[in-house]
Amino acid sequence: MKRYRVAALLGASILASCASPQGGVANSPSHAAALTGSAWVDSVMRTLTLRDKVAQMVWPSTWGDYAAANSNQWKNLSRLVREDKVGGFTMSVGSPTEIATKINALQEMSGIPLIFGADFETGAGYRARGPYFLPNAIDLGGAVMLPPQMALGATRDTMLAYEAGRVTAIEGRALGVQIAYAPVLDVNNNAANPVINVRSYGEDPELVARMGAAFIRGVQENGMIATGKHFPGHGDTEVNSHIGLPVVGVSRSRLDTVEFVPFKGAVSADVGAMMSFHGLMPALDPAGVPGTLSSVVMQDVLRRDLGFQGMLISDAMDMRGVLEQFGGVEAAKRAVAAGMDVLIQPVNVHETIEAVLAGVREGRYSEARLDSSVRRILTMKEKMGLARSKKVKVEDVRVKVGDSAHHALAQRIAQRSITLVKDSLAQLPLSADGARKVLLVGYAGRTDLGATVSFNSVIASRFKSVRSELVNAGDPSPNYARLEAAADSADIVIVSSYSTQSIDQAMSVSAPASFAGFINRLVAKGRNPIVVAFGNPYFLQQIQGVPAYVVAWGGFGPSQVAAARALLGDAPITGKLPITIPLGAGNRAAAFGAGLIRP
């Protein structure tokens, strides 16, 4: 497929498609609004004070929820836009129409168009989904939630990765978001990684590079900027950078042949932005500072060695990976000195702006250094069409977001990703004998309201006698004895686990020993449980003796339906592991590429 430079692919046709009826830039100088390209950038640059320039580089986060005009939340947002004059925002969770409405309201207040980024790792649905209505647990819908990146890795299909990027861009731009903080280009070669896990395409650098480049093209050829993350690589860590400082202690030659490979592929695919890693890599910079704060990592390696010329975006500046050593003020100065163009999600916006200003006065970097970043930001805004029209048509959200064809893509990816790692007793597909008694045991967190719903529904549609049980992962002492007794009278026992990585997990993604022990006791008693991993795919490490192990990669509806159809024989099973499931001491529970085929 032909590659396009970001500046070219975001040209006139895309600008035209992004334009809204009102046109122009509300509250901006008339002479600037009529200009385009570098002329618009030059015009805006001439209006900016030094403090204004710094503010363009600081992007706080905001929820995509409803906020009344006189609420404290909205008053704070108004101050950030009108007084602090921030350059953009990172949009967090909310319903599609509320996100679009809030973005339009923020744009209306801003003289210079704002730019918005969002963590769209699994499509716009990763952030733009409606809530569950309680107490009935009714899913109120929203943007399409695609299966995790590792599910795409299991398909080995770059066209599906491209389509995932395309759908992400279409839905994201309809919401008013211009930058996807995706794809994750970390090579997940450490099974103990508590934070990346299924967010990665897998453990093979070339596979991650191919899938990542395809996703980037899908995003950027459809009007949005992609962001490769987290350079120089968050895959081989056992510490969560949200709550600690990870260290990757491998050699430079290992980094060149493993961690850097997907990022090199992203540069070749003309990725528009890169996000940094809040972790130490002594082989690159022995000074003992996180990559985000290291000019060696960001300037010498990423820009000089890898040739990246796009926008550098920090990972969230409120994470312990940067705060632990330096605190917010010093971390902000060091990040700018290292070459960061954008600081996202700072602890305190006002203090961060003042800190960066102080860095100029202290001679740690020059105003010309800031100018280079501000020009990148303004150029990105102009390429995204914001100089012509900064608001979206809210009435178009229902047309483009959650489209049935996009849902069909999510289902297709999910079905292609289902991986049968083990079936030693040839239990799958399940017999069509509807008289058999089935026990379904789900294991999920209390807040995971969608867990088991679609999976259990599809399974129950084929058997007359189905008993469903849900174990709350937050329960310190579940009554497993009762479940074991229920298994004694069942013909088929299916255990589905929704336990996966989380930003608040410090050291381990493993399931509790009590849950693993329950499954192992079922095995010992000859109940032959079929285990479906909707969360952590490495769970097999804790339950090696299970006769049947299926990996579904994600717990949202499409993956649940796909797994159920695969177990019932209504759809083929073709997925291949994009990871190794190790056992330690050089042994493994399953090899990279493993996967039994079921027609």
Side-chain angles (χ1 to χ4, degrees):
M1 181 181 296
K2 182 179 179 182
R3 292 195 290 111
Y4 298 86
R5 290 282 166 190
V6 172
L9 69 92
L10 300 171
S13 61
I14 290 176
L15 294 180
S17 69
C18 297
S20 66
Q22 54 267 59
V25 179
N27 302 324
S28 62
S30 58
H31 69 278
L35 301 173
T36 59
S38 60
W40 181 82
V41 173
D42 291 341
S43 176
V44 174
M45 286 291 292
R46 287 193 293 270
T47 70
L48 300 178
T49 66
L50 177 58
R51 193 185 190 283
D52 292 341
K53 292 175 183 178
V54 174
Q56 283 294 308
M57 301 170 63
V58 179
W59 301 358
S61 291
T62 180
W63 296 99
D65 60 346
Y66 173 77
N70 65 347
S71 67
N72 287 335
Q73 182 198 140
W74 191 252
K75 290 176 182 177
N76 181 57
L77 289 173
S78 298
R79 284 193 295 270
L80 292 174
V81 175
R82 296 182 188 277
E83 297 175 22
D84 287 314
K85 300 181 181 180
V86 296
F89 285 88
T90 293
M91 181 56 65
S92 189
V93 295
S95 69
T97 51
E98 192 56 55
I99 286 175
T101 301
K102 181 173 277 188
I103 286 176
N104 277 353
L106 291 170
Q107 292 284 26
E108 187 68 31
M109 287 191 292
S110 180
I112 298 170
L114 298 164
I115 194 165
F116 289 82
D119 278 312
F120 285 166
E121 294 177 12
T122 57
Y126 197 68
R127 286 292 181 261
R129 287 197 58 78
Y132 284 90
F133 181 80
L134 297 178
N136 314 86
I138 299 171
D139 185 352
L140 298 183
V144 170
M145 182 79 169
L146 300 169
Q149 288 188 190
M150 201 170 278
L152 281 162
T155 73
R156 303 297 200 273
D157 191 334
T158 54
M159 281 307 300
L160 287 178
Y162 177 91
E163 286 296 297
R166 182 182 68 84
V167 166
T168 298
I170 291 171
E171 296 201 352
R173 289 306 306 267
L175 298 171
V177 176
Q178 295 81 30
I179 304 175
Y181 298 156
V184 174
L185 298 176
D186 304 314
V187 179
N188 201 79
N189 49 13
N190 189 330
N193 193 317
V195 66
I196 300 301
N197 201 269
V198 295
R199 296 168 65 195
S200 164
Y201 289 112
E203 71 175 36
D204 177 66
E206 296 295 340
L207 174 64
V208 176
R210 290 196 304 273
M211 303 302 284
F215 181 88
I216 289 166
R217 289 193 295 269
V219 168
Q220 296 191 165
E221 290 176 10
N222 289 277
M224 184 177 251
I225 294 299
T227 307
K229 62 186 190 183
H230 309 82
F231 185 83
H234 200 338
D236 194 3
T237 61
E238 296 182 22
V239 174
N240 183 344
S241 57
H242 291 84
I243 53 181
L245 179 61
V247 180
V248 181
V250 301
S251 67
R252 173 62 192 259
S253 61
R254 213 300 284 274
L255 293 171
D256 283 331
T257 56
V258 178
E259 278 76 9
F260 289 178
V261 172
F263 293 102
K264 291 175 182 176
V267 173
S268 296
D270 298 314
V271 68
M274 288 281 197
M275 183 174 287
S276 61
F277 168 44
H278 292 337
L280 305 182
M281 286 193 175
L284 298 181
D285 189 348
V289 295
T292 301
L293 313 183
S294 170
S295 61
V296 175
V297 173
M298 293 300 149
Q299 297 296 324
D300 297 350
V301 179
L302 181 55
R303 290 217 186 273
R304 184 192 66 195
D305 296 349
L306 271 63
F308 176 67
Q309 297 302 317
M311 182 183 292
L312 282 181
I313 302 175
S314 76
D315 205 346
M317 294 299 291
D318 63 353
M319 291 164 59
R320 299 310 306 174
V322 289
L323 295 180
E324 194 170 87
Q325 287 178 292
F326 303 107
V329 169
E330 178 63 18
K333 295 177 184 178
R334 286 177 176 256
V336 171
M340 285 297 139
D341 297 312
V342 177
L343 306 179
I344 67 169
Q345 201 167 312
V347 176
N348 184 296
V349 171
H350 182 77
E351 286 184 359
T352 299
I353 293 173
E354 291 302 321
V356 177
L357 280 171
V360 176
R361 292 193 298 268
E362 294 163 6
R364 298 175 70 162
Y365 38 79
S366 65
E367 183 174 355
R369 153 71 193 93
L370 301 184
D371 286 349
S372 65
S373 290
V374 177
R375 281 192 173 276
R376 282 195 183 93
I377 294 165
L378 293 176
T379 298
M380 191 73 76
K381 292 181 178 184
E382 199 280 331
K383 295 299 182 186
M384 290 289 95
L386 294 171
R388 298 186 180 187
S389 178
K390 58 184 181 177
K391 296 167 69 175
V392 295
K393 297 169 67 175
V394 177
E395 57 269 28
D396 282 354
V397 171
R398 291 178 59 252
V399 176
K400 297 179 180 179
V401 177
D403 181 84
S404 60
H406 300 172
H407 281 290
L409 172 66
Q411 195 61 58
R412 188 159 69 252
I413 294 170
Q415 203 67 65
R416 290 276 305 281
S417 74
I418 301 299
T419 306
L420 179 57
V421 178
K422 192 176 181 182
D423 188 19
S424 57
L425 300 179
Q427 292 171 273
L428 300 177
L430 296 172
S431 166
D433 181 2
R436 302 174 78 190
K437 296 179 180 179
V438 180
L439 172 65
L440 300 174
V441 179
Y443 180 85
R446 180 178 59 84
T447 58
D448 190 352
L449 301 182
T452 77
V453 174
S454 298
F455 179 76
N456 289 5
S457 176
V458 176
I459 296 293
S461 69
R462 295 287 284 275
F463 296 93
K464 294 181 180 179
S465 178
V466 176
R467 176 175 175 177
S468 300
E469 298 282 353
L470 181 62
V471 178
N472 177 4
D475 187 343
S477 55
N479 189 351
Y480 286 121
R482 182 178 65 83
L483 298 179
E484 290 174 40
D488 289 339
S489 61
D491 300 307
I492 301 171
V493 179
I494 303 175
V495 181
S496 55
S497 172
Y498 295 80
S499 176
T500 189
Q501 87 291 340
S502 171
I503 65 170
D504 59 2
Q505 283 176 306
M507 297 297 292
S508 178
V509 73
S510 298
S514 59
F515 177 51
F518 160 66
I519 295 174
N520 288 327
R521 288 192 298 276
L522 293 180
V523 174
K525 293 169 67 175
R527 303 319 306 156
N528 301 328
I530 299 166
V531 175
V532 184
F534 288 104
N536 177 24
Y538 300 99
F539 184 39
L540 182 59
Q541 293 176 310
Q542 299 175 262
I543 51 169
Q544 303 166 35
V546 293
Y549 185 73
V550 179
V551 181
W553 308 108
F556 269 78
S559 295
Q560 290 190 40
V561 171
R565 295 185 70 236
L567 265 61
L568 294 170
D570 292 342
I573 302 176
T574 60
K576 297 292 183 181
L577 283 180
I579 54 172
T580 300
I581 303 178
L583 291 179
N587 299 316
R588 60 194 182 194
F592 176 89
L596 302 171
I597 303 299
R598 291 289 184 270

